[in-house]
Amino acid sequence: MTDAMEPILQINHLSKRFGAVQASDDVSLTVLPGRLHALIGPNGAGKSTLISQISGFLMPDAGQIFLKGRDVTHLSAERRVHMGLGRSFQVSNLLLEWSARRNVMLAVQARRGGSFRFFKNVWKDAELRAAAEAALQKVGLQDRADIRAMELSHGERRQLEFACALALEPAILVLDEPMAGLGPEGTAEMTAFLEELKHSIPILLVEHDMDAVFRLADEISVLVYGRIIASGPPETIRQSVAVQEAYLGSSSDAA
Amino acid sequence: MTREFWVSVVVLVGLPVAAFIAHITGETYIINLLTRMIVLGLAGIGLNFALGYGGMVSFGHAAFFGLGAYVAGIAAFHAFDDSLIVSMPFELGGTNQMLLIWLIAIFLAAVLAFLIGLISLRTSGVYFIMITLAFAQMLYYFAISWPAYGGEDGLSIYLRNEFPGVQTDKAFSFFLLCFAILLLVLLLCWRFINARFGAALQGARMNALRLSSIGIAPFPVKLTAFVISAMIVALAGALYGELNGFVSPSNLSWHMSGELIIFVILGGVGRLVGPLIGAIVFVLLETYLGGLTDRWQFFLGLILLATVLFANGGIMGLIGGRTRHD
């Protein structure tokens, strides 16, 4: 790791408390360009809370979040998206009544602006359509463009979410368990996809599938009870006694 | 072209044809009935913009409808006896010019809707319904307790207000004027809904979290739609006052809000011309079934029940087919 590389995402001493529960306890981590940083931890460790804070749906009690060097701690979720923060959700989050193409077109529109344009027909907008087709192509969903999101399979919905996220031209992607519910084949495909993707877009990955994590990650942070108990390259994490005691040893899906 | 499009064309051609036939046969009553359908349909279309496309179930749109009606009534009242609406800090008299009245009604409705929306759109579901209802009822009781403009008794418009080049006191001319406005509003709504704004608005209805996560804040989009919706409903209210020659607090009551929702549900939620069909059916039932029995609303209830249970997209859904999203 060279000092010259400026982190895309940097989290400094983030803390969040819900009553007696310390959901985030002095969490610091960085995501560097071209890298995939994986965040693992047992259920209830505070991974989702951390993601909510990064994406701006929850305000931290203390600490800062920097996106491309700019302090975004107090910016709205929408502003962060415009600054390059893309994300996917644990549960599919799509406009189910709309076709795949329309879903992506709205994302392109969000990126290009103009949601307060009242007259020009949006569905015939060649610029939006072309950008949407390109994003669908990237995830291999171009043949399913006219299918309504509710009629897509679970795996295809995941792909569609990725198409929407990519249409936003993000500087970084925060992925919340993208492998969940995909099955072995889908997981393998998704892993290959992310392996390719991380070179162009750095990724913060929250994932339970340890095979995928250890294959993809350049760096792993282990979150337990809101605290990062270990952080480093995969080999270090695999060998860490603290991690094994706290997490890997007690988990059935340990690598 | 979709089947919904052709159904809409049939309705929009049928209305003026019917009015024309009534005009040459001298059936003024029928023309007024058709005008009533159009004006109420216009209000329904206005509500549908917020309710159908934006998912905002407002139970308080009578506030805007009554506001429009009262602007027409108050302006005419002062124009009639040449008195002043306010004398301090500036002098403002009445007017009998519809264009000016409409502009004022639309402007005031926009301001009111902005304020109501600013507060109520922070809630959703039942809370949104109750807050919008509360605001409308506030206006209702305000109108009742304001003796200067008739209080509970309402306010008469003795002479229908004027529009350049149109003999507004002639039933058929007034029908055509209202119909032209209806077409204009339909055209605007159609453009809005199929523009980038409409895409964002429908996205906000379906999944606000999705909208946020692609970087569009749902709140300003919904607030804008709420304001536009109120402006249309206020215009309809002003026309309604002119049509009846009378405005009253009942224009502001929750019954009115409920009727607007009935037009939308009956005709088709999120269908452009749906609320017009809803209003046509409503007025037909009210007039002809209401002539047979005072309990006509019992049958309206049955029809509404059947619509909700069996016809998801209202009457438009039934005859116009499913909405398509290519």
Side-chain angles (χ1 to χ4, degrees), chain A residues 103-113 127-128 131-132 167-168:
Chain A
N103 268 279
V104 186
M105 279 173 78
L106 189 63
V108 179
Q109 168 183 329
R111 173 71 186 159
R112 311 260 163 108
E127 187 195 331
L128 291 188
L168 296 168

Side-chain angles (χ1 to χ4, degrees), chain A residues 57 78 81-82 89 93-94 97-99 102 109-110 113-122 125 148 168, chain B residues 191-192 194-197 199 202-203 205-207 209-218 224 322 325-326:
Chain A
F57 289 104
E78 293 88 5
V81 173
H82 282 284
F89 291 80
N93 174 40
L94 291 162
E97 296 166 37
W98 277 5
S99 68
R102 279 200 172 196
Q109 168 183 329
S115 287
F116 282 90
R117 274 184 222 158
F118 288 90
F119 290 98
K120 195 176 166 210
N121 188 308
V122 61
D125 191 319
R148 293 206 290 179
L168 296 168
Chain B
R191 295 307 295 255
F192 293 173
N194 289 302
R196 290 191 181 198
F197 176 78
Q202 294 172 72
R205 181 195 74 225
M206 286 184 266
N207 189 341
L209 179 62
R210 167 88 267 183
L211 211 62
S212 286
S213 60
I214 57 175
I216 304 174
T224 307
R322 231 175 54 167
H325 298 297
D326 50 334

Side-chain angles (χ1 to χ4, degrees), chain A residues 109-183:
Chain A
Q109 168 183 329
R111 173 71 186 159
R112 311 260 163 108
S115 287
F116 282 90
R117 274 184 222 158
F118 288 90
F119 290 98
K120 195 176 166 210
N121 188 308
V122 61
W123 309 121
K124 292 176 183 154
D125 191 319
E127 187 195 331
L128 291 188
R129 284 185 86 97
E133 302 283 349
L136 286 169
Q137 187 109 41
K138 267 187 211 165
V139 300
L141 220 52
Q142 66 274 18
D143 297 330
R144 307 283 281 162
D146 291 316
I147 309 294
R148 293 206 290 179
M150 62 170 73
E151 286 151 21
L152 295 175
S153 71
H154 177 73
E156 288 173 325
R157 287 187 199 181
R158 272 281 133 86
Q159 288 172 286
L160 180 54
E161 282 207 49
F162 267 98
C164 293
L166 293 177
L168 296 168
E169 300 164 33
I172 179 171
L173 279 172
V174 179
L175 307 178
D176 196 354
E177 298 191 27
M179 322 283 183
L182 282 188

Side-chain angles (χ1 to χ4, degrees), chain A residues 8-161:
Chain A
I8 302 293
L9 178 72
Q10 183 170 6
I11 295 163
N12 288 343
H13 309 294
L14 214 60
S15 291
K16 180 77 189 176
R17 176 183 278 280
F18 297 110
V21 180
Q22 188 76 46
S24 302
D25 188 359
D26 197 31
V27 174
S28 298
L29 61 83
T30 55
V31 182
L32 296 168
R35 302 291 178 89
L36 189 145
H37 191 141
L39 186 66
I40 62 173
N43 285 326
K47 302 188 295 292
S48 292
T49 307
L50 188 61
I51 286 199
S52 290
Q53 292 173 83
I54 294 171
S55 37
F57 289 104
L58 254 184
M59 284 297 146
D61 298 334
Q64 288 104 35
I65 301 161
F66 292 90
L67 192 59
K68 294 190 284 185
R70 278 184 59 189
D71 188 348
V72 298
T73 317
H74 300 289
L75 295 185
S76 69
E78 293 88 5
R79 285 293 305 282
R80 294 182 203 198
V81 173
H82 282 284
M83 291 179 60
L85 185 76
R87 68 167 289 190
S88 81
F89 291 80
Q90 209 170 340
V91 180
S92 273
N93 174 40
L94 291 162
L95 305 172
L96 293 174
E97 296 166 37
W98 277 5
S99 68
R101 182 188 289 110
R102 279 200 172 196
N103 268 279
V104 186
M105 279 173 78
L106 189 63
V108 179
Q109 168 183 329
R111 173 71 186 159
R112 311 260 163 108
S115 287
F116 282 90
R117 274 184 222 158
F118 288 90
F119 290 98
K120 195 176 166 210
N121 188 308
V122 61
W123 309 121
K124 292 176 183 154
D125 191 319
E127 187 195 331
L128 291 188
R129 284 185 86 97
E133 302 283 349
L136 286 169
Q137 187 109 41
K138 267 187 211 165
V139 300
L141 220 52
Q142 66 274 18
D143 297 330
R144 307 283 281 162
D146 291 316
I147 309 294
R148 293 206 290 179
M150 62 170 73
E151 286 151 21
L152 295 175
S153 71
H154 177 73
E156 288 173 325
R157 287 187 199 181
R158 272 281 133 86
Q159 288 172 286
L160 180 54
E161 282 207 49

